[in-house]
Amino acid sequence: MIKRPINYIFLEGPDLAGKTTFYENVHKSSEYRWNIQDRSALSMLIHAKYYGRDTFRHVEQLRSELYNLNNVTIILLPKWDEVARRFNLRGDPIQNITSLRKLYDLFSEAAEELRTLPNVNVIEGIADDQVVKYTVRKLIEYENASSHQIQQNCVNAAFSKESKEVVGLNFTLFDDGSFEDIDEGDLLFEDEVDYYDGIITDIQKKIADELNGDNPYNRKETKESRRFIYHSDTCISLAHFLIRDDSLDCKFFLRSSNVKDTLYYDINFIKHMSKVVYNSFDIQDKFCRISVIINSGHIL
């Protein structure tokens, strides 16, 4: 079973948004399933804006967090009247009501801009028990995403940009060696079948050549070699396979992907290619890690 585990859940929002309570309730409801981080690069960016500081590195860090689809950002944004009520009730050690409102407005602007991303969830209103349970359920569904759902995540990310292109989108999948969700029929997708067959032929030959010593060093490589690599100037530009730490590490770089029309087939093929290599090495009881970088994910 291939899954996309969540690396980090970043919990964001203005002061007095209820982050601590939500954090504790999600942990309890999920039995401490995830690593939840209180604040992220978004807070650093918003406070840099508030204090008039340079924002470049915070923008870059936020983009890095958001474009990794193994991360999820949750922004808590109760109504301003509720935040003001909490302030009047218990105060805040850092903010006054004026500064709190300015930061609240900056978070509101950020939430409006980011909410269309597939791994950003904006929770407006009170995050009660029902909201917590719903959130936990959706997070579990996100981890168990199918190839079609991952494709749709990438489509939504591209649609979030005015240019309909997102640069550097990435995700990592894990498989226990069964590769049971590969659709063999979709490997015969008419527009790509010859392309896919050519890549499989190339990587199988590369593995055989390296194991037989047919390389510039005339050296027979072992299964632990670093030399099992496929590369070209086509859309699937690079694939590198490495057996380490009781797992097969598969890294793929896509220089370009039409995320709306072909990415699903490419994801299905990437899983298939990983399976082919896994079986070529005749390894068992090892996990397979599949990391994918889409340098230009676009909608034509």
Side-chain angles (χ1 to χ4, degrees), residues 169-225:
L169 206 61
N170 63 93
F171 56 87
T172 299
L173 310 174
F174 285 85
D175 191 86
D176 59 6
S178 64
F179 299 97
E180 62 186 33
D181 75 338
I182 296 171
D183 191 320
E184 300 291 340
D186 284 332
L187 295 171
L188 302 177
F189 174 49
E190 183 177 1
D191 292 349
E192 304 289 344
V193 62
D194 292 338
Y195 176 53
Y196 293 158
D197 286 346
I199 294 175
I200 294 298
T201 299
D202 287 350
I203 192 60
Q204 288 179 317
K205 183 178 186 303
K206 176 65 172 176
I207 292 171
D209 287 348
E210 294 296 340
L211 294 177
N212 291 328
D214 186 7
N215 55 43
Y217 307 99
N218 295 316
R219 180 181 66 206
K220 289 187 176 182
E221 297 290 332
T222 69
K223 291 190 292 187
E224 286 71 32
S225 172

Side-chain angles (χ1 to χ4, degrees), residues 222-238:
T222 69
K223 291 190 292 187
E224 286 71 32
S225 172
R226 303 177 180 89
R227 293 180 54 81
F228 302 122
I229 190 167
Y230 161 85
H231 61 90
S232 79
D233 61 0
T234 60
C235 289
I236 301 177
S237 304
L238 184 142

Side-chain angles (χ1 to χ4, degrees), residues 22-227:
F22 187 80
Y23 172 99
E24 293 172 349
N25 289 339
V26 169
H27 268 321
K28 291 176 183 177
S29 182
S30 66
E31 297 181 338
Y32 294 84
R33 181 184 180 114
W34 299 292
N35 183 353
I36 305 177
Q37 299 290 311
D38 185 3
R39 298 196 180 278
S40 68
L42 178 58
S43 278
M44 298 300 295
L45 173 60
I46 284 176
H47 283 84
K49 287 182 176 180
Y50 178 79
Y51 289 108
R53 296 194 293 260
D54 180 70
T55 61
F56 175 79
R57 65 188 180 97
H58 302 307
V59 169
E60 289 301 304
Q61 181 60 38
L62 179 60
R63 183 178 290 114
S64 176
E65 292 174 358
L66 293 173
Y67 288 178
N68 182 339
L69 295 182
N70 292 81
N71 295 332
V72 173
T73 297
I74 298 174
I75 303 174
L76 296 184
L77 199 64
K79 300 298 183 184
W80 165 248
D81 289 349
E82 174 61 20
V83 173
R85 186 191 70 80
R86 293 173 184 177
F87 177 83
N88 291 328
L89 184 66
R90 62 179 186 263
D92 186 89
I94 299 175
Q95 307 299 336
N96 57 47
I97 193 66
T98 302
S99 64
L100 185 61
R101 181 59 199 246
K102 290 180 180 178
L103 289 168
Y104 178 90
D105 289 343
L106 288 171
F107 272 105
S108 298
E109 292 171 8
E112 191 61 30
E113 178 182 350
L114 301 177
R115 68 193 312 147
T116 56
L117 286 169
N119 53 345
V120 174
N121 183 16
V122 179
I123 298 177
E124 298 172 308
I126 305 298
D128 57 17
D129 288 344
Q130 185 175 355
V131 171
V132 169
K133 291 177 181 177
Y134 174 80
T135 300
V136 169
R137 186 169 71 253
K138 298 303 288 185
L139 289 170
I140 292 173
E141 290 176 2
Y142 186 84
E143 286 194 310
N144 294 319
S146 66
S147 296
H148 280 294
Q149 289 167 329
I150 294 171
Q151 178 203 23
Q152 189 59 52
N153 290 160
C154 296
V155 169
N156 291 345
F159 266 125
S160 74
K161 307 287 287 185
E162 185 175 350
S163 63
K164 301 296 186 290
E165 179 190 41
V166 61
V167 176
L169 206 61
N170 63 93
F171 56 87
T172 299
L173 310 174
F174 285 85
D175 191 86
D176 59 6
S178 64
F179 299 97
E180 62 186 33
D181 75 338
I182 296 171
D183 191 320
E184 300 291 340
D186 284 332
L187 295 171
L188 302 177
F189 174 49
E190 183 177 1
D191 292 349
E192 304 289 344
V193 62
D194 292 338
Y195 176 53
Y196 293 158
D197 286 346
I199 294 175
I200 294 298
T201 299
D202 287 350
I203 192 60
Q204 288 179 317
K205 183 178 186 303
K206 176 65 172 176
I207 292 171
D209 287 348
E210 294 296 340
L211 294 177
N212 291 328
D214 186 7
N215 55 43
Y217 307 99
N218 295 316
R219 180 181 66 206
K220 289 187 176 182
E221 297 290 332
T222 69
K223 291 190 292 187
E224 286 71 32
S225 172
R226 303 177 180 89
R227 293 180 54 81

Side-chain angles (χ1 to χ4, degrees), residues 2-5 7 67-71 142 146-147 150-151 153-154 168-174 250-252 254 263 266-268 270-271 289-294:
I2 291 180
K3 294 187 176 182
R4 174 185 56 186
N7 292 338
Y67 288 178
N68 182 339
L69 295 182
N70 292 81
N71 295 332
Y142 186 84
S146 66
S147 296
I150 294 171
Q151 178 203 23
N153 290 160
C154 296
L169 206 61
N170 63 93
F171 56 87
T172 299
L173 310 174
F174 285 85
C250 311
K251 286 188 168 60
F252 293 86
L254 279 61
L263 180 60
D266 286 346
I267 294 173
N268 189 60
I270 282 168
K271 294 176 181 180
R289 180 190 305 108
I290 305 172
S291 302
V292 180
I293 296 175
I294 305 172

